[in-house]
Each structure stands twice: as structure tokens, then as C-alpha cells.
Amino acid sequence: MNIAEWLAATARRRPYAPALLTGDKVVSDYAGFAATAASIAGYLTELHRIGPGDRVGVFLANSTRYLECLYGIWWCGAIAVPINRKLAPGEVAAIVTDAQASVVFTDEGSSPAVSGVTFVPVMGDDRLTNSGQGPAAPVEREGDDVAWLFYTSGTTGRPKGVMLTHANLMAMSWCHLADVDPIGPDEAVLYAAPISHGAGLYGLVHVRMGSRHVFPVSGRFDPGEVLSLARTVGRASLFAAPTMVRRLVHVARTQGEDGEGLKTVIYGGGPMYLADIQEAISVLGQRFVQIYGQGESPMTITALSRQDHADTGHPRYGHRLAGVGTAQSAVRVRVCGPDGRPLPPGRIGEIEVKGATVMAGYWRDPATTAEVLRDGWLRTGDLGQLDEDGYLTLSGRSKELIISGGSNIYPREVEDALTAHPAVAEAAVIGVPDREWGELVVAFVVPAEGTDLDEETLDRHCRELIARFKRPRHYHVVPDLPKNAYGKVLKTELRAAITAG
Ligand code: AMP
């Protein structure tokens, strides 16, 4: 079944219910939302010959039009390729090329040049919303047809497209209702984080339930705006990375706000420290649910429920609050040793997950798919342990992934950018723990002979090649890098050097 059917059904059931809002202003009801999606589908089909299974990129800042485009793509049976709006032109081009997308929706003036690809600015082209030729109902799709190509860049720096099917997205949405947060039609979802990631994935269930989709006027995450908007629209929920939760709590405390109007804050995507969630609860009250997931099993591995957050009398309350909760209802979770066999409770190993939300595989990459998916079990690359009650605690990542402010940063990508500078001979990048951002990117660079390096030059250079959020926050210029007998850089020694100050 095509997930766009949910929009069509809600538009029939509640045509005049407010659907899309900018700030507290309603810009479309459900009938209008569905009509625009159908029109965008018509535009794609008629003008660009897009059909079922074709890929269409979405490189847009958060806005009501973003959702209309997403559903327009699904309405004609195509596959959406949401692209993080913060990525640099070269990174966008790599994704678009890998996905073999021929059309990409963009904001005005933000299109990189990629041969054979048409970038369509979504504002100001009436044909998009008034094509009048859209199919009356979403094109038929099977559950195992791909709906969303979710791009993560692997350790090699090459983008990897996670194939999420219509059935994956539906199972994720049902888990949201069963394990994370039940939703009624009078509610609102507030988009504080990029739609290309978790916030967008969690919008789908709100379409099914017919709630309001609220976009902050600023178009970005402004904690003060989120608090006042929640108060105005009422019964609002939002998905936020732990860094965002910390900022929200800080502003609420400073302004003397108690989170009125906020029904639920769902957090995840990176580590939340125990002291931070305790502080969050003391300032904003019991409105929190944590989820642990990854692109390959979107938003859906475990959840730490609202009840778990509130069960302060439980003997293992502190332990539970420091973890990520129990398996969501569509999946099984296990922890395996290096030999691939499940470990008993209390032992640390690699977390594996199997069930209805697990991806179909990586786009055009059967070799990596086979490495990660075995007998339906997804190897997450995360390390952790289960307790006797089935509560999972994360210990760290087996991969080198750095998560800063909820965004993933792969050291290799940053190293590649640094070593592209002529004055850099070698570079190694690590993540170091940071209370504010979760982790900070730190670079060790060895200057090329006879050259001088300064932080400002390196920072300017990185900003040209990679997204701002990926660039190192600290540089250490060193004469050489510690290496093992095979010439591999010993990052453990670099980490130890930082810890030792
Ligand atoms: P992504 O595929 O971009 O969603 O990143 C997924 C990774 O983020 C996971 O494999 C974990 O390492 C990390 N992650 C996700 N949720 C949590 C959480 N609740 N606590 C700690 N780390 C998390």
C-alpha cells in the first residue's frame, strides 16, 4: 500500500481540518493538502515523465511546501530522496548522482549543477501546484516498494542510500502510536528539526491521524519560538536531538516557562546524559519519551516510554533513565558477541535488530547490504547491553561515527576535506565528549614540509568543502601521527592525548 493513501483518506474523512500551518497561521486544510500533492504528482508525471520507482530529490528547508512535495512524489508512485539542507553542493551532487534522481525540488538559488538533473525551485512556479492533472488517487504501490531513500554517508565518505519501503514507514508509524506516543486528531506536530531526518519520518503518522503540522516562522530551531508556538497551538509534540532539548530547557528555565502546550518531546539520535534528562524533567515536567533508532530501522529499535520517565519510585529508575528503553513492538532486539552469537543480559556486544521496520537494503549496494543484514538481523554498529528486564543501555559505537548536535559526522569525510589542502600532509579526526553537543570534532593535522598551518585557513578551507556542522572545532598541529605496525593511525592514542590534556 502507498503511504500517500493516508493523506487521501484523511482528506476524505476530515477535509476541512487544519493541516499545514506556518506559525499559528493555517495555510492549508487536509483537502487542500491532498489536492496540492495530487497536482505535484501531475506536474512530475506530465512535465518530467516521472513514474513509479523513479527517484525525486527534495533539497529544501523545512516548510509546508516540503510536505506537499514529499506527498506529491509518493502520490505518483515515485521514491523520495530527502537531502539534508545543510549539505555542501558537492555532497548534494554525490547523493543525487548515486540515487540517479532526474528531478530535485529546491529553494530558489540553492541548486548545485549536476548534469542531467533538473532542479525545480518550488516557489513561484504555478505549474507545480495548479497542474490540474494530478491522478485522483495515489498510484498503487506494494508494501515492499521503496518510498524513501534515506542517505547516510558511510565511513568511506561515499553516500549510502537506505531503502525504506512503504511497509517500513507504516510499521514505524504504528510503533509511534503503540510504543512512543498515542496521537489524537486535535494535536499538533511541531517541526523543529530537519524533515530530511527524524522529524520528517515522524510527521507521517500525524498525517494518518489528521493532526496539524506546524512550521516555525523562523524556519529553524529557536527554543523561545518553539515554547511560545506550543503555547499558542496547544497539544504540540516535537522530535528533538538531545542538544536541542538542552537548549530548550535552558531557555525555558531562564524565561520561567513550564512547557505549557507541549504534549510530548521525543528525543533521540544521540546520547542524552542522565543529568540532562533529569534537569529537563525538573524544568518542563513529564513530557519526555526517548527513542533509539537509526536510518536502517528508522526511529524504531527501542523506546523509553513516558511511564518509564515518570516511574521515579522504581528501584532501577536511574539505570533505566540512563538507557534507551525496551524493544519497540515491531522489532526484536539482541546483543551479540564477536562470533555473532546472542549474549546473555549484562554482557556488552553489538546491538542487532530484526522486524518490520528494518530496511530493504542499501540502494545499488548489495555487498554492504550483505555485510549489515544477516538472516534479517540488522547489525547496528552500536555497542550496548540488555538487562534482565529487557532494558537496553548503549555503550558506544563500534564504528567511528561522531554525533555532534544530533548530526552524524564521519571522520573520513572530514579527513578527506583536510588533506585536500595543499599544506596538509596528514590528518586524523576524532570525536571527543562534550556536554553541549554530545561530541565535538577534533582534528590532528601534520603540515606538509616547509609550510605553516593556522586554524583560520583550515576552517575556511573546510567550510568550502563540507557542511559547516562537520568542520573541526579544535585543531592540533602535530609533527606526526601515532601509527601501528601497519601504518594505521592509532586514534585511541589521540583520544588518550586529549583526555590527558
Ligand atoms: P542515524 O542513522 O543518522 O539516525 O544515526 C543513528 C545512530 O545514532 C545510531 O546508530 C546510534 O549510534 C545513535 N543514536 C540514535 N538514537 C540514540 C539514542 N537514543 N541514544 C544514543 N545514541 C543514539
Side-chain angles (χ1 to χ4, degrees):
M1 172 177 158
N2 187 336
I3 196 151
E5 298 276 2
W6 283 2
L7 174 58
T10 303
R12 284 194 299 269
R13 204 172 67 238
R14 312 182 68 223
Y16 306 117
L20 306 177
L21 288 82
T22 303
D24 58 2
K25 194 168 150 282
V26 178
V27 297
S28 181
D29 58 19
Y30 269 95
F33 182 4
T36 305
S39 172
I40 291 172
Y43 168 87
L44 286 170
T45 311
E46 296 299 320
L47 270 95
H48 296 282
R49 302 275 158 243
I50 295 291
D54 291 338
R55 275 78 54 209
V56 178
V58 192
F59 183 52
L60 293 171
N62 277 8
S63 71
T64 54
R65 181 54 49 88
Y66 197 128
L67 285 190
E68 291 166 338
C69 288
L70 208 49
Y71 279 87
I73 293 167
W74 291 328
W75 200 282
C76 67
I79 299 172
V81 188
I83 303 167
N84 186 339
R85 188 65 182 74
K86 293 185 205 157
L87 295 187
E91 296 170 309
V92 178
I95 289 174
V96 170
T97 306
D98 187 75
Q100 300 169 311
S102 56
V103 176
V104 179
F105 289 126
T106 62
D107 296 310
E108 200 66 57
S110 70
S111 332
V114 186
S115 75
V117 181
T118 309
F119 284 84
V120 178
V122 294
M123 296 317 251
D125 188 343
D126 284 349
R127 290 176 304 174
L128 205 63
T129 47
N130 296 319
S131 75
Q133 308 174 3
V139 166
E140 221 174 281
R141 296 267 79 195
E142 297 302 327
D144 56 6
D145 285 324
V146 178
W148 184 314
L149 271 189
F150 181 100
Y151 269 89
T152 66
S153 32
T155 41
T156 56
R158 200 181 74 71
K160 276 189 298 180
V162 173
M163 294 190 283
L164 299 177
T165 65
H166 290 270
N168 287 151
L169 298 179
M170 287 180 187
M172 173 197 72
S173 304
W174 293 323
C175 281
H176 187 297
L177 298 175
D179 310 305
V180 179
D181 196 27
I183 300 163
D186 58 335
E187 298 189 12
V189 53
L190 224 149
Y191 293 96
I195 293 184
S196 56
H197 224 81
L201 288 161
Y202 263 3
L204 309 182
V205 66
H206 288 272
V207 170
R208 169 67 203 167
M209 303 315 289
S211 31
R212 294 160 294 158
H213 302 258
V214 181
F215 292 81
V217 176
S218 69
R220 59 190 180 84
F221 175 62
D222 173 337
E225 184 182 21
V226 165
L227 289 167
S228 79
L229 202 48
R231 221 181 311 108
T232 317
V233 299
R235 297 194 57 74
S237 51
L238 67 114
F239 174 73
T243 324
M244 295 163 66
V245 175
R246 274 192 289 278
R247 287 178 58 198
L248 194 70
V249 169
H250 173 74
V251 171
R253 191 176 355 89
T254 317
Q255 298 181 354
E257 303 237 20
D258 62 0
E260 186 197 333
L262 266 183
K263 182 197 160 219
T264 312
V265 177
I266 304 163
Y267 64 92
M272 170 69 100
Y273 295 105
L274 181 59
D276 291 328
I277 184 61
Q278 285 171 329
E279 162 84 349
I281 293 169
S282 77
V283 174
L284 292 174
Q286 292 292 358
R287 312 173 193 276
F288 294 93
V289 181
Q290 181 180 193
I291 62 100
Y292 158 56
Q294 60 176 203
E296 289 83 347
S297 182
M299 315 303 268
T300 317
I301 299 176
T302 62
L304 188 72
S305 68
R306 192 188 293 265
Q307 292 72 25
D308 287 323
H309 282 80
D311 194 5
T312 52
H314 195 281
R316 287 185 293 287
Y317 178 66
H319 160 77
R320 289 184 174 179
L321 205 57
V324 293
T326 56
Q328 294 194 36
S329 51
V331 295
R332 278 189 291 157
V333 174
R334 68 183 188 185
V335 170
C336 291
D339 60 0
R341 289 176 197 223
L343 293 170
R347 297 273 306 279
I348 294 178
E350 183 172 5
I351 298 158
E352 298 193 352
V353 54
K354 183 174 188 171
T357 51
V358 171
M359 66 166 179
Y362 294 112
W363 175 251
R364 298 197 305 141
D365 193 350
T368 315
T369 303
E371 271 170 37
V372 169
L373 274 181
R374 292 193 192 155
D375 301 326
W377 284 98
L378 167 73
R379 303 173 65 194
T380 61
D382 290 318
L383 300 174
Q385 58 181 305
L386 284 162
D387 70 11
E388 296 282 353
D389 306 334
Y391 282 75
L392 183 71
T393 310
L394 299 185
S395 317
R397 292 180 297 280
S398 58
K399 302 169 193 163
E400 284 179 359
L401 177 68
I402 299 170
I403 300 185
S404 189
S407 295
N408 288 358
I409 301 163
Y410 293 85
R412 177 64 191 272
E413 278 184 280
V414 187
E415 289 160 4
D416 283 350
L418 284 168
T419 48
H421 192 283
V424 175
E426 279 183 287
V429 164
I430 57 168
V432 298
D434 179 73
R435 280 191 67 79
E436 166 84 342
W437 295 99
E439 284 183 299
L440 279 187
V441 180
V442 172
F444 290 79
V445 285
V446 180
E449 241 180 78
T451 59
D452 267 328
L453 277 178
D454 65 276
E455 259 191 60
E456 211 186 305
T457 313
L458 289 172
D459 192 54
R460 205 174 328 117
H461 168 75
C462 282
R463 268 186 282 148
E464 277 168 21
L465 293 185
I466 50 175
R468 287 180 74 90
F469 70 88
K470 295 180 185 172
R471 70 198 206 284
R473 297 307 165 100
H474 298 295
Y475 290 90
H476 296 277
V477 178
V478 290
D480 50 35
L481 295 171
K483 299 203 179 109
N484 69 10
Y486 302 101
K488 269 176 78 88
V489 176
L490 292 166
K491 292 198 173 177
T492 41
E493 288 197 10
L494 295 176
R495 277 191 204 98
I498 296 273
T499 313

